[in-house]
Amino acid sequence: MTETDGIRLQKALANAGVASRRVIEQYIVEGRIRVNGRTVTELGTRIDPEHDLIDVDGTAVQLDVSKRYVMLNKPTGIYSTMRDEKGRPDLRRFTKDWPERLYNVGRLDAETSGLLILTNDGELAHVLAHPSFGVTKVYIAKVTGTVTAQTIAKLTRGVELEDGPIAADKARLLDASTGSATGKSSSLVELTLHSGRNRIVRRMMAAVGHPVEELVRRQFGPLHLGTLPVGRARELTKIERGALLTLSRQDSPATAGVDEEQETE
């Protein structure tokens, strides 16, 4: 890039809403901004907003304002596709407020609710949905029976499934109760996983003798569902976008020995 190509770094970041040009110039002088992984300290630095990757204090900045990032609290009964071939309820009803054509990052099965990302950023969607990237997800499962501390320990040590062993990154018991009317017991278990295997939470809990009755995904990477109501969607905040883009720009780990199936839970 020549000295007249592109636009000045401080202008691009000011247009992206990072801070005023004067503040950004101070950031540049202080060495707090990187372009394509290299720290820049020259105020005359020019960039190509369509191709260059910028981060401030280690957090990625979205320069392409045409990219849209949406969080959906998917209800049960909805299939994770933009057009279901069998005519079943799909995700199109949740994208009407955005003119862009959005796609889902990964999938949740019809009977699982919770956090699903919708975006028109194809590169980000591919990276985050690929099992080799190992994005952490947090689920809360209501399961049949009383889960013991021994069962929680077994989930983190690993269980054997038909497609190989699997262990939760973290597992904890949130609650256990006995229905007063029926006498049937149930438990709430929180599982943290980075696996991309199909219906992995349901299969893990069935393997330890506690079939899943209800399942919700509360977290995807740096994103938390928070108080977003079921069936509602909202755009990510600037901070959330930065965290998600930072995650997506990290080098993916080696894919050797990793299940290539896109996650569905």
Side-chain angles (χ1 to χ4, degrees), residues 2-265:
T2 68
E3 292 184 358
T4 58
D5 287 337
I7 65 174
R8 287 185 178 271
L9 177 58
Q10 54 265 51
K11 180 180 179 180
L13 291 179
N15 291 344
V18 173
S20 68
R21 292 194 193 186
R22 180 167 296 182
V23 171
I24 293 168
E25 287 175 355
Q26 186 63 36
Y27 287 174
I28 294 173
V29 172
E30 293 172 354
R32 297 170 60 180
I33 299 176
R34 296 190 304 174
V35 177
N36 299 323
R38 300 183 63 180
T39 300
V40 296
T41 55
E42 295 291 333
L43 293 178
T45 299
R46 289 179 174 271
I47 65 163
D48 180 352
E50 294 185 5
H51 298 97
D52 290 329
L53 302 180
I54 316 299
D55 65 77
V56 179
D57 293 335
T59 298
V61 176
Q62 178 192 357
L63 295 180
D64 186 350
V65 296
S66 69
K67 295 292 190 293
R68 193 76 65 183
Y69 306 93
V70 173
M71 178 191 297
L72 167 68
N73 188 347
K74 187 189 84 68
T76 57
I78 301 294
Y79 288 80
S80 294
T81 177
M82 288 302 168
R83 184 174 295 276
D84 186 73
E85 295 179 353
K86 298 181 180 179
R88 298 171 296 188
D90 55 38
L91 297 171
R92 282 177 292 172
R93 67 188 65 192
F94 304 109
T95 62
K96 296 177 181 178
D97 292 339
W98 291 278
E100 297 85 1
R101 188 174 182 180
L102 303 179
Y103 299 91
N104 47 297
V105 177
R107 300 186 293 268
L108 293 173
D109 69 39
E111 298 312 310
T112 299
S113 63
L115 199 162
L116 196 62
I117 301 170
L118 307 174
T119 184
N120 61 343
D121 187 337
E123 183 176 349
L124 175 138
H126 173 75
V127 170
L128 294 184
H130 199 283
S132 67
F133 201 79
V135 177
T136 297
K137 301 111 181 171
V138 178
Y139 300 88
I140 295 179
K142 179 183 178 182
V143 301
T144 301
T146 302
V147 174
T148 65
Q150 291 77 12
T151 299
I152 294 295
K154 185 175 182 180
L155 289 168
T156 55
R157 286 197 309 268
V159 296
E160 191 69 37
L161 302 178
E162 65 272 14
D163 54 354
I166 182 69
D169 297 335
K170 298 178 183 177
R172 63 177 178 138
L173 178 64
L174 300 179
D175 189 30
S177 61
T178 301
S180 56
T182 63
K184 293 177 61 178
S185 62
S186 62
S187 303
L188 283 180
V189 177
E190 181 184 87
L191 288 177
T192 301
L193 297 158
H194 64 270
S195 171
R197 294 198 218 171
N198 188 32
R199 297 174 65 87
I200 191 64
V201 173
R202 295 179 184 276
R203 293 194 289 136
M204 287 180 71
M205 295 310 303
V208 296
H210 296 283
V212 169
E213 298 176 6
E214 299 175 20
L215 184 62
V216 58
R217 182 161 70 188
R218 296 290 309 175
Q219 183 177 342
F220 185 100
L223 304 182
H224 298 260
L225 197 57
T227 58
L228 185 66
V230 175
R232 296 289 298 275
R234 66 167 177 82
E235 287 196 53
L236 298 188
T237 65
K238 183 169 65 175
I239 293 175
E240 289 171 331
R241 291 197 306 271
L244 195 66
L245 289 169
T246 300
L247 176 65
S248 72
R249 292 176 186 178
Q250 295 171 356
D251 290 336
S252 177
T255 59
V258 177
D259 189 342
E260 294 296 320
E261 184 177 19
Q262 190 183 51
E263 63 97 16
T264 305
E265 188 49 74

